[in-house]
Amino acid sequence: MSPSVDTVDYHTAGEPFRIVTAGLPPIPGDSVAERRAIALGAGGTATNPRPSTLDTVRQLLTREPRGHAGMYGGFVVPADDSEAHFGVLFWHKDGYSTACGHGTIALGAWAVDSGLVEAPADGDARVRIDVPSGRVTATVHRSGGATTGITFRNVPTAVSARGVKVETSRGPVSVDLAHSGACYASVRAADLGLTVTTDRLPELTALGREIRAALADHPATRHPSDPLLSGVYGVILHEDLSEDTPSGPDQRNVTVFADGQIDRSPCGSGTSARLALLAAEGRLTPGQELRHESVIGTVFTGRLAGEHPDGVITEVTGTAHRTGEHRFLLDPADTLGTGFLL
């Protein structure tokens, strides 16, 4: 790796997103999806990539003392073609994901803040980003020269199964599955005897990992056209905060993703999955919004934005804020190397 790695850090509704701006080795490939496959390496998986110079950078940024087990971020790479502004490889402590809504929101803010994409003082700027699951858009809303919010338009979201029975240590539960750039499994927390609160996080995390493992070979977790998008990425444990109103549902969730990582935000692409499932249940119609709260109380709002042959089009709105700029170093004499995870 390079002698130093430069980053700009944001948080989206409490979930970190670390953007690498300098210090990356070359990342070969003709598309973002191909670059991700190369990053995983021959025989590597999404949560167990093969060793490489690039993966050393990921480890450096997600492990203590420079990061932590909840760290998330992205490597900015060239777009697939001239219609997008740039591409990104999303990463976390375990490997590389195919989609990240909260990261897309942060990248939209960064693209405008850095001057990469021109934005009006009042109005909207659209930032087009190629991600491993396709092309997404972050619409950055501006007023008085300041960013007031960012709306993430996702790739099409499709419900792949409803009412899948899964055995857990707390008994059988019913699971709904949807593909929204990654495959998400939705479970009612109450069916596990739990509430979505911080004091129940150890139990929620353990059960999220159980459910993900139990669904490893389920046919509904397979993407219809791209095997690299297959497999459950996140388990969404959700609850209703109130009765549905004419404006739409009000829910709280915690998403357990990868190997037991907790999303501090309401989960951007996970919100897309929830929108598609609520629409399939008849609880969300065009013109209504889902108020989606995280386990720490931050909020995204989501809505249906249209139909597509591959599913529904969804939009998710939230905020992102810059938290710092960093230059990370790896001293060759440091016996901890890229660091450790607790």
Side-chain angles (χ1 to χ4, degrees):
M1 59 173 283
S2 300
S4 64
V5 178
D6 294 351
T7 72
V8 179
D9 284 21
Y10 282 74
H11 83 83
T12 303
E15 177 72 357
F17 194 77
R18 178 164 282 172
I19 303 165
V20 179
T21 58
L24 283 178
I27 307 175
D30 294 328
S31 68
V32 173
E34 186 176 334
R35 288 184 179 92
R36 177 177 179 268
I38 291 170
L40 297 182
T45 67
T47 55
N48 188 25
R50 299 285 294 173
S52 67
T53 304
L54 180 68
D55 206 53
T56 297
V57 178
R58 178 190 67 81
Q59 292 176 15
L60 185 83
L61 300 177
T62 57
R63 296 180 175 183
E64 295 187 50
R66 300 166 190 86
H68 53 81
M71 182 54 66
Y72 213 112
F75 298 142
V76 177
V77 298
D80 291 358
D81 58 48
S82 61
E83 296 300 311
H85 292 100
F86 55 89
V88 63
L89 297 183
F90 296 120
W91 43 259
H92 46 76
K93 74 174 178 68
D94 299 308
Y96 300 87
S97 57
T98 57
C100 179
H102 94 272
T104 300
I105 289 171
L107 287 161
W110 167 76
V112 168
D113 290 345
S114 65
L116 182 65
V117 175
E118 188 176 349
D122 296 283
D124 294 340
R126 287 178 174 81
V127 182
R128 294 176 296 279
I129 307 169
D130 285 330
V131 307
S133 56
R135 180 163 293 163
V136 297
T137 302
T139 299
V140 182
H141 310 296
R142 306 268 292 169
S143 179
T147 295
T148 58
I150 302 100
T151 296
F152 154 58
R153 177 172 279 215
N154 201 3
V155 299
T157 298
V159 175
S160 56
R162 295 179 63 196
V164 176
K165 299 301 180 186
V166 173
E167 292 293 334
T168 76
S169 57
R170 286 179 173 245
V173 291
S174 179
V175 179
D176 298 327
L177 293 159
H179 289 264
S180 54
C183 181
Y184 287 90
S186 284
V187 183
R188 282 175 17 107
D191 291 349
L192 295 162
L194 295 171
T195 56
V196 182
T197 50
T198 54
D199 62 307
R200 308 309 292 268
L201 272 178
E203 295 156 283
L204 291 162
T205 303
L207 285 157
R209 295 177 75 175
E210 274 187 43
I211 292 164
R212 180 175 179 268
L215 290 167
D217 298 318
H218 196 282
T221 70
R222 299 172 194 154
H223 192 273
S225 61
D226 188 348
L228 290 178
L229 301 181
S230 295
V232 173
Y233 170 65
V235 176
I236 303 171
L237 300 127
H238 62 90
E239 63 186 4
D240 288 306
L241 295 178
S242 65
E243 295 291 330
D244 291 0
T245 69
S247 61
D250 183 6
Q251 296 191 331
R252 178 189 293 132
N253 91 93
V254 64
T255 300
V256 181
F257 65 93
D259 188 21
Q261 202 165 334
I262 293 295
D263 199 326
R264 277 74 170 160
S265 81
C267 189
S269 46
T271 297
S272 290
R274 294 297 307 138
L275 290 167
L277 287 165
L278 287 165
E281 295 170 21
R283 294 182 59 188
L284 188 77
T285 59
Q288 293 183 312
E289 286 193 335
L290 166 65
R291 180 186 179 277
H292 212 201
E293 186 174 307
S294 75
V295 72
I296 64 167
T298 54
V299 176
F300 288 160
T301 55
R303 65 206 61 85
L304 303 173
E307 298 284 342
H308 187 278
D310 295 330
V312 295
I313 302 299
T314 62
E315 290 183 342
V316 179
T317 300
T319 58
H321 301 279
R322 185 163 46 183
T323 60
E325 299 181 13
H326 307 277
R327 174 163 290 173
F328 293 102
L329 308 173
L330 178 56
D331 185 340
D334 186 347
T335 58
L336 282 177
T338 56
F340 58 92
L341 293 169
L342 292 179

